[in-house]
Amino acid sequence: MNLVFLFYFFVLGLGLGSFYNVVGLRVPVSTFLKNKRSICPNCFHSLSWYELIPVLSFLIQRGSCRHCDQSISRIYPFIELFTGFFFVYSFYIFGFRPELAVALTFVSLMSIVFVTDITYMLIPDRILFFFLPIFLFLRILVPLEPWWSAFLGASIGLLMLASVIVISRGGMGGGDMKLVGLFGLVLGVKGVLLAFFLACIYGTCFHGLQWIVNKQGRKKPIPFGPYLVMGALTAYFYGEMIITWYVRTFLTFTL
Ligand SMILES: [Zn+2]
């Protein structure tokens, strides 16, 4: 594995992660094009290039604005590192095989969804419909095995979440539904089922923990997007392994 390429994908991920923060924070409030320059949301001071270096600026300024001392959300360096890490990991797994294009696009969508859902509790249609034709195109060029798994997976994802929305009476939103539809396109039938199953497990574990630790936070609604993101990434990178392990461990005994 070439270290230069690993480093390159890490830096690329950090830089794009910084951009995905901006996309995720601005698209839901429609200010994507109005403020071309980045500003401090508290004192509105325009930020210089040295205040916009991924992760480093946050560390050097000790997590606060240089002008007004307002603390900067930790989501910024988190998403930068998240994108950087998964870009490197995608390259580590796929090298320069065509699936790398799918992996990098998928990680990008995951970063943006993480930001919008944690910040605004929503997953904007504009983001989802931007990625839809890209994934369609990619899954035609880089098909799953069998090729129709992507399309069946997308339909299953949409139907599954639609039923959850009906049964839970709005416990999940239309954004979650369309997102899981996209998961199906990328992950296929088995992958989308596994992703949703894992998201529920992650959600239950983290929320259960929060329920025990923080008594005030119990009634607060939780964004489900970050759990869907974690479930999808686990299914994408480890799906085959998990399913093979599961079948070997549990199903061979009963057969
Ligand atoms: Zn400021």
Side-chain angles (χ1 to χ4, degrees), residues 72-127:
I72 303 165
S73 169
R74 266 177 271 175
I75 190 89
Y76 290 98
F78 173 78
I79 289 298
E80 286 155 3
L81 287 172
F82 176 94
T83 316
F85 172 79
F86 281 107
F87 267 43
V88 171
Y89 195 64
S90 302
F91 178 68
Y92 175 74
I93 297 284
F94 299 114
F96 283 113
R97 273 180 277 159
E99 185 66 24
L100 180 66
V102 182
L104 297 181
T105 316
F106 196 51
V107 169
S108 301
L109 171 66
M110 294 301 96
S111 305
I112 298 171
V113 164
F114 210 106
V115 178
T116 64
D117 210 33
I118 269 201
T119 317
Y120 304 106
M121 295 258 309
L122 60 85
I123 303 163
D125 277 351
R126 283 163 72 190
I127 306 276

Short mmCIF file of all heavy atoms in Angstrom, two decimals, residues 72-127:
data_model
loop_
_atom_site.label_atom_id
_atom_site.label_comp_id
_atom_site.label_asym_id
_atom_site.label_seq_id
_atom_site.Cartn_x
_atom_site.Cartn_y
_atom_site.Cartn_z
N ILE A 72 -16.19 27.16 19.06
CA ILE A 72 -16.55 26.63 17.74
C ILE A 72 -17.09 25.21 17.96
O ILE A 72 -16.53 24.45 18.74
CB ILE A 72 -15.32 26.58 16.82
CG1 ILE A 72 -14.70 27.97 16.67
CG2 ILE A 72 -15.67 26.02 15.45
CD1 ILE A 72 -13.30 27.96 16.07
N SER A 73 -18.16 24.88 17.26
CA SER A 73 -18.76 23.56 17.40
C SER A 73 -17.74 22.46 17.10
O SER A 73 -16.99 22.55 16.12
CB SER A 73 -19.95 23.43 16.45
OG SER A 73 -20.36 22.09 16.40
N ARG A 74 -17.74 21.43 17.93
CA ARG A 74 -16.79 20.33 17.72
C ARG A 74 -17.16 19.49 16.51
O ARG A 74 -16.41 18.62 16.09
CB ARG A 74 -16.73 19.46 18.97
CG ARG A 74 -15.60 19.90 19.88
CD ARG A 74 -15.58 19.09 21.14
NE ARG A 74 -16.42 19.73 22.16
CZ ARG A 74 -16.68 19.18 23.33
NH1 ARG A 74 -16.19 18.00 23.64
NH2 ARG A 74 -17.43 19.81 24.22
N ILE A 75 -18.35 19.75 15.97
CA ILE A 75 -18.77 19.00 14.78
C ILE A 75 -17.80 19.26 13.62
O ILE A 75 -17.54 18.38 12.81
CB ILE A 75 -20.22 19.36 14.38
CG1 ILE A 75 -20.76 18.41 13.30
CG2 ILE A 75 -20.37 20.78 13.90
CD1 ILE A 75 -21.41 17.21 13.83
N TYR A 76 -17.21 20.49 13.53
CA TYR A 76 -16.31 20.81 12.41
C TYR A 76 -15.11 19.86 12.35
O TYR A 76 -14.95 19.15 11.37
CB TYR A 76 -15.82 22.26 12.49
CG TYR A 76 -16.87 23.30 12.20
CD1 TYR A 76 -17.52 23.95 13.22
CD2 TYR A 76 -17.18 23.64 10.88
CE1 TYR A 76 -18.48 24.92 12.95
CE2 TYR A 76 -18.13 24.60 10.60
CZ TYR A 76 -18.78 25.25 11.65
OH TYR A 76 -19.72 26.19 11.37
N PRO A 77 -14.27 19.84 13.41
CA PRO A 77 -13.12 18.93 13.30
C PRO A 77 -13.56 17.46 13.25
O PRO A 77 -12.90 16.65 12.61
CB PRO A 77 -12.31 19.21 14.56
CG PRO A 77 -13.23 19.88 15.49
CD PRO A 77 -14.24 20.61 14.65
N PHE A 78 -14.70 17.14 13.90
CA PHE A 78 -15.15 15.76 13.88
C PHE A 78 -15.45 15.30 12.45
O PHE A 78 -14.98 14.24 12.02
CB PHE A 78 -16.40 15.57 14.76
CG PHE A 78 -17.00 14.20 14.64
CD1 PHE A 78 -16.42 13.13 15.31
CD2 PHE A 78 -18.10 13.97 13.83
CE1 PHE A 78 -16.95 11.85 15.18
CE2 PHE A 78 -18.63 12.69 13.69
CZ PHE A 78 -18.06 11.63 14.37
N ILE A 79 -16.22 16.12 11.71
CA ILE A 79 -16.58 15.73 10.34
C ILE A 79 -15.35 15.70 9.43
O ILE A 79 -15.21 14.85 8.56
CB ILE A 79 -17.66 16.68 9.78
CG1 ILE A 79 -19.00 16.42 10.49
CG2 ILE A 79 -17.83 16.54 8.27
CD1 ILE A 79 -19.56 15.02 10.30
N GLU A 80 -14.41 16.64 9.66
CA GLU A 80 -13.19 16.64 8.86
C GLU A 80 -12.41 15.34 9.08
O GLU A 80 -11.99 14.69 8.12
CB GLU A 80 -12.34 17.87 9.22
CG GLU A 80 -12.92 19.16 8.65
CD GLU A 80 -12.53 20.42 9.41
OE1 GLU A 80 -11.74 20.32 10.38
OE2 GLU A 80 -13.00 21.49 9.04
N LEU A 81 -12.26 14.95 10.34
CA LEU A 81 -11.53 13.72 10.63
C LEU A 81 -12.30 12.49 10.15
O LEU A 81 -11.72 11.54 9.63
CB LEU A 81 -11.27 13.60 12.14
CG LEU A 81 -10.19 14.54 12.68
CD1 LEU A 81 -10.14 14.48 14.19
CD2 LEU A 81 -8.83 14.18 12.10
N PHE A 82 -13.62 12.51 10.33
CA PHE A 82 -14.50 11.43 9.89
C PHE A 82 -14.32 11.19 8.39
O PHE A 82 -14.09 10.06 7.94
CB PHE A 82 -15.94 11.84 10.23
CG PHE A 82 -17.03 10.91 9.77
CD1 PHE A 82 -17.52 9.94 10.62
CD2 PHE A 82 -17.60 11.05 8.51
CE1 PHE A 82 -18.55 9.10 10.22
CE2 PHE A 82 -18.63 10.22 8.10
CZ PHE A 82 -19.11 9.24 8.96
N THR A 83 -14.40 12.29 7.61
CA THR A 83 -14.27 12.16 6.16
C THR A 83 -12.85 11.71 5.80
O THR A 83 -12.67 10.82 4.96
CB THR A 83 -14.59 13.50 5.46
OG1 THR A 83 -15.76 14.06 6.05
CG2 THR A 83 -14.83 13.31 3.98
N GLY A 84 -11.85 12.31 6.45
CA GLY A 84 -10.46 11.93 6.19
C GLY A 84 -10.23 10.45 6.46
O GLY A 84 -9.68 9.73 5.64
N PHE A 85 -10.72 9.99 7.61
CA PHE A 85 -10.52 8.59 7.99
C PHE A 85 -11.18 7.65 6.98
O PHE A 85 -10.56 6.70 6.50
CB PHE A 85 -11.09 8.33 9.40
CG PHE A 85 -11.07 6.87 9.75
CD1 PHE A 85 -9.91 6.26 10.17
CD2 PHE A 85 -12.23 6.10 9.63
CE1 PHE A 85 -9.88 4.90 10.47
CE2 PHE A 85 -12.22 4.75 9.91
CZ PHE A 85 -11.04 4.14 10.34
N PHE A 86 -12.45 7.91 6.65
CA PHE A 86 -13.15 6.98 5.76
C PHE A 86 -12.68 7.07 4.31
O PHE A 86 -12.81 6.12 3.56
CB PHE A 86 -14.67 7.13 5.87
CG PHE A 86 -15.21 6.43 7.09
CD1 PHE A 86 -15.64 7.14 8.19
CD2 PHE A 86 -15.23 5.05 7.15
CE1 PHE A 86 -16.12 6.50 9.33
CE2 PHE A 86 -15.70 4.38 8.27
CZ PHE A 86 -16.15 5.10 9.37
N PHE A 87 -12.11 8.21 3.91
CA PHE A 87 -11.49 8.28 2.58
C PHE A 87 -10.27 7.37 2.54
O PHE A 87 -10.09 6.60 1.61
CB PHE A 87 -11.09 9.74 2.25
CG PHE A 87 -12.15 10.49 1.48
CD1 PHE A 87 -13.49 10.38 1.82
CD2 PHE A 87 -11.80 11.30 0.40
CE1 PHE A 87 -14.46 11.07 1.11
CE2 PHE A 87 -12.77 11.99 -0.32
CZ PHE A 87 -14.10 11.88 0.04
N VAL A 88 -9.42 7.47 3.56
CA VAL A 88 -8.23 6.61 3.61
C VAL A 88 -8.66 5.15 3.65
O VAL A 88 -8.12 4.31 2.94
CB VAL A 88 -7.38 6.92 4.87
CG1 VAL A 88 -6.28 5.89 5.03
CG2 VAL A 88 -6.78 8.28 4.76
N TYR A 89 -9.65 4.87 4.48
CA TYR A 89 -10.08 3.50 4.65
C TYR A 89 -10.64 2.93 3.33
O TYR A 89 -10.36 1.79 2.98
CB TYR A 89 -11.12 3.41 5.77
CG TYR A 89 -11.35 2.00 6.23
CD1 TYR A 89 -10.31 1.28 6.83
CD2 TYR A 89 -12.57 1.37 6.05
CE1 TYR A 89 -10.50 -0.02 7.23
CE2 TYR A 89 -12.77 0.06 6.46
CZ TYR A 89 -11.73 -0.63 7.04
OH TYR A 89 -11.92 -1.93 7.43
N SER A 90 -11.40 3.75 2.61
CA SER A 90 -11.94 3.33 1.31
C SER A 90 -10.80 2.96 0.37
O SER A 90 -10.86 1.93 -0.32
CB SER A 90 -12.76 4.45 0.66
OG SER A 90 -13.79 4.85 1.51
N PHE A 91 -9.77 3.80 0.34
CA PHE A 91 -8.64 3.52 -0.55
C PHE A 91 -7.90 2.27 -0.08
O PHE A 91 -7.47 1.44 -0.89
CB PHE A 91 -7.68 4.71 -0.61
CG PHE A 91 -6.48 4.44 -1.46
CD1 PHE A 91 -6.62 4.30 -2.84
CD2 PHE A 91 -5.22 4.29 -0.90
CE1 PHE A 91 -5.53 4.02 -3.64
CE2 PHE A 91 -4.13 4.01 -1.69
CZ PHE A 91 -4.28 3.88 -3.06
N TYR A 92 -7.79 2.11 1.23
CA TYR A 92 -7.11 0.94 1.80
C TYR A 92 -7.83 -0.34 1.39
O TYR A 92 -7.21 -1.35 1.06
CB TYR A 92 -7.09 1.09 3.32
CG TYR A 92 -6.52 -0.10 4.06
CD1 TYR A 92 -5.15 -0.35 4.06
CD2 TYR A 92 -7.36 -0.97 4.75
CE1 TYR A 92 -4.63 -1.43 4.72
CE2 TYR A 92 -6.85 -2.06 5.42
CZ TYR A 92 -5.48 -2.29 5.40
OH TYR A 92 -4.98 -3.38 6.05
N ILE A 93 -9.18 -0.30 1.39
CA ILE A 93 -9.96 -1.49 1.05
C ILE A 93 -10.00 -1.74 -0.46
O ILE A 93 -9.80 -2.85 -0.92
CB ILE A 93 -11.42 -1.34 1.56
CG1 ILE A 93 -11.45 -1.24 3.09
CG2 ILE A 93 -12.33 -2.48 1.08
CD1 ILE A 93 -11.24 -2.54 3.83
N PHE A 94 -10.26 -0.68 -1.23
CA PHE A 94 -10.54 -0.88 -2.65
C PHE A 94 -9.37 -0.54 -3.56
O PHE A 94 -9.39 -0.91 -4.73
CB PHE A 94 -11.76 -0.06 -3.08
CG PHE A 94 -13.02 -0.44 -2.35
CD1 PHE A 94 -13.63 0.45 -1.48
CD2 PHE A 94 -13.57 -1.70 -2.53
CE1 PHE A 94 -14.79 0.08 -0.81
CE2 PHE A 94 -14.72 -2.07 -1.85
CZ PHE A 94 -15.33 -1.18 -0.99
N GLY A 95 -8.36 0.18 -3.07
CA GLY A 95 -7.28 0.62 -3.95
C GLY A 95 -7.86 1.45 -5.08
O GLY A 95 -8.81 2.20 -4.86
N PHE A 96 -7.35 1.27 -6.30
CA PHE A 96 -7.88 2.04 -7.42
C PHE A 96 -8.94 1.28 -8.21
O PHE A 96 -9.19 1.56 -9.37
CB PHE A 96 -6.74 2.51 -8.33
CG PHE A 96 -5.99 3.68 -7.77
CD1 PHE A 96 -4.68 3.55 -7.35
CD2 PHE A 96 -6.63 4.90 -7.61
CE1 PHE A 96 -4.00 4.63 -6.81
CE2 PHE A 96 -5.96 5.99 -7.07
CZ PHE A 96 -4.64 5.85 -6.66
N ARG A 97 -9.58 0.29 -7.57
CA ARG A 97 -10.69 -0.40 -8.26
C ARG A 97 -11.87 0.56 -8.41
O ARG A 97 -12.01 1.50 -7.63
CB ARG A 97 -11.12 -1.62 -7.43
CG ARG A 97 -10.29 -2.87 -7.78
CD ARG A 97 -10.75 -4.05 -6.95
NE ARG A 97 -10.14 -4.04 -5.64
CZ ARG A 97 -10.65 -4.69 -4.58
NH1 ARG A 97 -11.79 -5.35 -4.67
NH2 ARG A 97 -10.03 -4.64 -3.41
N PRO A 98 -12.74 0.32 -9.40
CA PRO A 98 -13.86 1.25 -9.66
C PRO A 98 -14.75 1.49 -8.44
O PRO A 98 -15.32 2.57 -8.29
CB PRO A 98 -14.64 0.57 -10.79
CG PRO A 98 -13.70 -0.39 -11.40
CD PRO A 98 -12.70 -0.78 -10.37
N GLU A 99 -14.87 0.49 -7.56
CA GLU A 99 -15.73 0.64 -6.39
C GLU A 99 -15.27 1.81 -5.51
O GLU A 99 -16.06 2.36 -4.74
CB GLU A 99 -15.76 -0.67 -5.58
CG GLU A 99 -16.71 -0.70 -4.39
CD GLU A 99 -18.21 -0.62 -4.73
OE1 GLU A 99 -18.60 -0.98 -5.86
OE2 GLU A 99 -18.97 -0.16 -3.86
N LEU A 100 -14.00 2.22 -5.63
CA LEU A 100 -13.50 3.36 -4.85
C LEU A 100 -14.36 4.61 -5.11
O LEU A 100 -14.64 5.37 -4.17
CB LEU A 100 -12.04 3.66 -5.21
CG LEU A 100 -11.41 4.84 -4.45
CD1 LEU A 100 -11.29 4.55 -2.96
CD2 LEU A 100 -10.04 5.19 -5.02
N ALA A 101 -14.81 4.80 -6.34
CA ALA A 101 -15.64 5.97 -6.67
C ALA A 101 -16.94 5.91 -5.88
O ALA A 101 -17.41 6.92 -5.35
CB ALA A 101 -15.92 6.00 -8.17
N VAL A 102 -17.54 4.71 -5.78
CA VAL A 102 -18.78 4.56 -5.01
C VAL A 102 -18.50 4.85 -3.54
O VAL A 102 -19.24 5.58 -2.88
CB VAL A 102 -19.36 3.13 -5.16
CG1 VAL A 102 -20.65 2.99 -4.39
CG2 VAL A 102 -19.56 2.77 -6.63
N ALA A 103 -17.39 4.29 -3.03
CA ALA A 103 -17.06 4.44 -1.61
C ALA A 103 -16.88 5.92 -1.25
O ALA A 103 -17.47 6.40 -0.27
CB ALA A 103 -15.79 3.66 -1.28
N LEU A 104 -16.11 6.66 -2.05
CA LEU A 104 -15.85 8.06 -1.73
C LEU A 104 -17.13 8.89 -1.79
O LEU A 104 -17.37 9.75 -0.95
CB LEU A 104 -14.80 8.65 -2.68
CG LEU A 104 -13.40 8.00 -2.62
CD1 LEU A 104 -12.45 8.69 -3.60
CD2 LEU A 104 -12.81 8.03 -1.22
N THR A 105 -17.99 8.59 -2.78
CA THR A 105 -19.25 9.33 -2.89
C THR A 105 -20.15 9.01 -1.70
O THR A 105 -20.81 9.89 -1.14
CB THR A 105 -19.97 8.96 -4.20
OG1 THR A 105 -19.02 8.93 -5.25
CG2 THR A 105 -21.06 9.95 -4.54
N PHE A 106 -20.17 7.74 -1.33
CA PHE A 106 -21.01 7.31 -0.22
C PHE A 106 -20.55 7.96 1.10
O PHE A 106 -21.37 8.48 1.86
CB PHE A 106 -20.97 5.78 -0.11
CG PHE A 106 -22.06 5.20 0.73
CD1 PHE A 106 -23.39 5.55 0.51
CD2 PHE A 106 -21.79 4.31 1.76
CE1 PHE A 106 -24.41 5.02 1.29
CE2 PHE A 106 -22.80 3.77 2.54
CZ PHE A 106 -24.12 4.14 2.30
N VAL A 107 -19.25 7.95 1.34
CA VAL A 107 -18.71 8.59 2.54
C VAL A 107 -19.07 10.08 2.54
O VAL A 107 -19.43 10.65 3.58
CB VAL A 107 -17.17 8.39 2.64
CG1 VAL A 107 -16.56 9.27 3.72
CG2 VAL A 107 -16.83 6.93 2.88
N SER A 108 -19.01 10.72 1.37
CA SER A 108 -19.34 12.14 1.28
C SER A 108 -20.79 12.39 1.70
O SER A 108 -21.08 13.28 2.49
CB SER A 108 -19.15 12.63 -0.16
OG SER A 108 -17.81 12.42 -0.55
N LEU A 109 -21.71 11.56 1.17
CA LEU A 109 -23.11 11.71 1.56
C LEU A 109 -23.27 11.49 3.07
O LEU A 109 -23.99 12.24 3.74
CB LEU A 109 -23.99 10.71 0.79
CG LEU A 109 -25.45 10.62 1.25
CD1 LEU A 109 -26.19 11.93 0.99
CD2 LEU A 109 -26.18 9.47 0.57
N MET A 110 -22.57 10.49 3.59
CA MET A 110 -22.68 10.19 5.02
C MET A 110 -22.23 11.38 5.88
O MET A 110 -22.85 11.71 6.88
CB MET A 110 -21.84 8.94 5.36
CG MET A 110 -22.32 7.65 4.73
SD MET A 110 -24.00 7.20 5.18
CE MET A 110 -24.89 7.85 3.82
N SER A 111 -21.14 12.05 5.47
CA SER A 111 -20.64 13.21 6.22
C SER A 111 -21.68 14.32 6.25
O SER A 111 -21.97 14.90 7.30
CB SER A 111 -19.37 13.76 5.59
OG SER A 111 -18.40 12.76 5.49
N ILE A 112 -22.26 14.61 5.09
CA ILE A 112 -23.22 15.72 5.00
C ILE A 112 -24.47 15.41 5.81
O ILE A 112 -24.97 16.26 6.56
CB ILE A 112 -23.57 16.02 3.52
CG1 ILE A 112 -22.32 16.44 2.76
CG2 ILE A 112 -24.63 17.10 3.43
CD1 ILE A 112 -22.51 16.55 1.27
N VAL A 113 -24.96 14.16 5.70
CA VAL A 113 -26.16 13.76 6.44
C VAL A 113 -25.91 13.86 7.94
O VAL A 113 -26.77 14.30 8.71
CB VAL A 113 -26.58 12.33 6.04
CG1 VAL A 113 -27.56 11.75 7.04
CG2 VAL A 113 -27.19 12.33 4.65
N PHE A 114 -24.73 13.46 8.36
CA PHE A 114 -24.36 13.54 9.78
C PHE A 114 -24.53 14.98 10.27
O PHE A 114 -25.14 15.24 11.30
CB PHE A 114 -22.91 13.09 9.95
CG PHE A 114 -22.64 12.45 11.27
CD1 PHE A 114 -22.47 11.08 11.37
CD2 PHE A 114 -22.55 13.22 12.43
CE1 PHE A 114 -22.22 10.48 12.58
CE2 PHE A 114 -22.30 12.63 13.66
CZ PHE A 114 -22.13 11.25 13.73
N VAL A 115 -23.99 15.93 9.50
CA VAL A 115 -24.04 17.34 9.90
C VAL A 115 -25.48 17.85 9.94
O VAL A 115 -25.92 18.43 10.93
CB VAL A 115 -23.22 18.23 8.93
CG1 VAL A 115 -23.33 19.70 9.33
CG2 VAL A 115 -21.77 17.81 8.93
N THR A 116 -26.24 17.64 8.85
CA THR A 116 -27.59 18.22 8.81
C THR A 116 -28.48 17.61 9.87
O THR A 116 -29.27 18.31 10.50
CB THR A 116 -28.27 18.03 7.43
OG1 THR A 116 -28.46 16.64 7.20
CG2 THR A 116 -27.47 18.63 6.31
N ASP A 117 -28.36 16.28 10.08
CA ASP A 117 -29.29 15.65 11.01
C ASP A 117 -28.96 16.01 12.46
O ASP A 117 -29.84 16.21 13.27
CB ASP A 117 -29.31 14.13 10.81
CG ASP A 117 -30.68 13.56 11.17
OD1 ASP A 117 -31.68 14.26 10.95
OD2 ASP A 117 -30.75 12.44 11.68
N ILE A 118 -27.66 16.11 12.79
CA ILE A 118 -27.27 16.49 14.15
C ILE A 118 -27.62 17.95 14.41
O ILE A 118 -28.09 18.31 15.48
CB ILE A 118 -25.76 16.20 14.38
CG1 ILE A 118 -25.61 14.79 14.92
CG2 ILE A 118 -25.12 17.22 15.28
CD1 ILE A 118 -24.34 14.52 15.65
N THR A 119 -27.45 18.81 13.40
CA THR A 119 -27.66 20.24 13.60
C THR A 119 -29.14 20.63 13.51
O THR A 119 -29.63 21.39 14.34
CB THR A 119 -26.87 21.06 12.56
OG1 THR A 119 -25.57 20.48 12.43
CG2 THR A 119 -26.73 22.51 12.98
N TYR A 120 -29.84 20.12 12.49
CA TYR A 120 -31.22 20.59 12.24
C TYR A 120 -32.26 19.49 12.40
O TYR A 120 -33.45 19.74 12.19
CB TYR A 120 -31.34 21.16 10.83
CG TYR A 120 -30.36 22.27 10.52
CD1 TYR A 120 -29.26 22.04 9.71
CD2 TYR A 120 -30.54 23.55 11.05
CE1 TYR A 120 -28.35 23.05 9.42
CE2 TYR A 120 -29.65 24.56 10.77
CZ TYR A 120 -28.55 24.31 9.96
OH TYR A 120 -27.67 25.31 9.68
N MET A 121 -31.84 18.26 12.72
CA MET A 121 -32.75 17.11 12.78
C MET A 121 -33.49 16.89 11.46
O MET A 121 -34.67 16.56 11.46
CB MET A 121 -33.78 17.26 13.92
CG MET A 121 -33.17 17.25 15.28
SD MET A 121 -33.32 15.72 16.21
CE MET A 121 -35.02 15.34 16.12
N LEU A 122 -32.82 17.13 10.35
CA LEU A 122 -33.45 16.83 9.06
C LEU A 122 -32.39 16.44 8.03
O LEU A 122 -31.22 16.77 8.17
CB LEU A 122 -34.30 18.00 8.57
CG LEU A 122 -33.67 19.36 8.30
CD1 LEU A 122 -33.08 19.44 6.90
CD2 LEU A 122 -34.73 20.44 8.45
N ILE A 123 -32.87 15.72 7.01
CA ILE A 123 -32.01 15.32 5.90
C ILE A 123 -32.64 15.93 4.65
O ILE A 123 -33.67 15.46 4.19
CB ILE A 123 -31.93 13.78 5.79
CG1 ILE A 123 -31.44 13.18 7.12
CG2 ILE A 123 -31.03 13.36 4.65
CD1 ILE A 123 -31.69 11.70 7.26
N PRO A 124 -32.05 17.03 4.14
CA PRO A 124 -32.74 17.79 3.07
C PRO A 124 -32.87 17.01 1.77
O PRO A 124 -31.93 16.31 1.36
CB PRO A 124 -31.83 19.00 2.86
CG PRO A 124 -30.86 19.00 3.96
CD PRO A 124 -30.77 17.62 4.51
N ASP A 125 -34.03 17.16 1.12
CA ASP A 125 -34.28 16.56 -0.19
C ASP A 125 -33.23 16.99 -1.20
O ASP A 125 -32.84 16.20 -2.05
CB ASP A 125 -35.66 17.01 -0.71
CG ASP A 125 -36.76 16.15 -0.13
OD1 ASP A 125 -36.43 15.13 0.51
OD2 ASP A 125 -37.94 16.50 -0.29
N ARG A 126 -32.80 18.26 -1.11
CA ARG A 126 -31.85 18.77 -2.11
C ARG A 126 -30.56 17.97 -2.09
O ARG A 126 -29.93 17.76 -3.12
CB ARG A 126 -31.55 20.25 -1.84
CG ARG A 126 -32.68 21.16 -2.32
CD ARG A 126 -32.58 22.51 -1.70
NE ARG A 126 -31.47 23.28 -2.25
CZ ARG A 126 -31.05 24.43 -1.72
NH1 ARG A 126 -31.63 24.90 -0.63
NH2 ARG A 126 -30.07 25.09 -2.27
N ILE A 127 -30.15 17.54 -0.88
CA ILE A 127 -28.94 16.73 -0.77
C ILE A 127 -29.21 15.34 -1.35
O ILE A 127 -28.43 14.83 -2.16
CB ILE A 127 -28.53 16.58 0.71
CG1 ILE A 127 -28.38 17.93 1.39
CG2 ILE A 127 -27.31 15.69 0.86
CD1 ILE A 127 -27.08 18.60 1.20
#
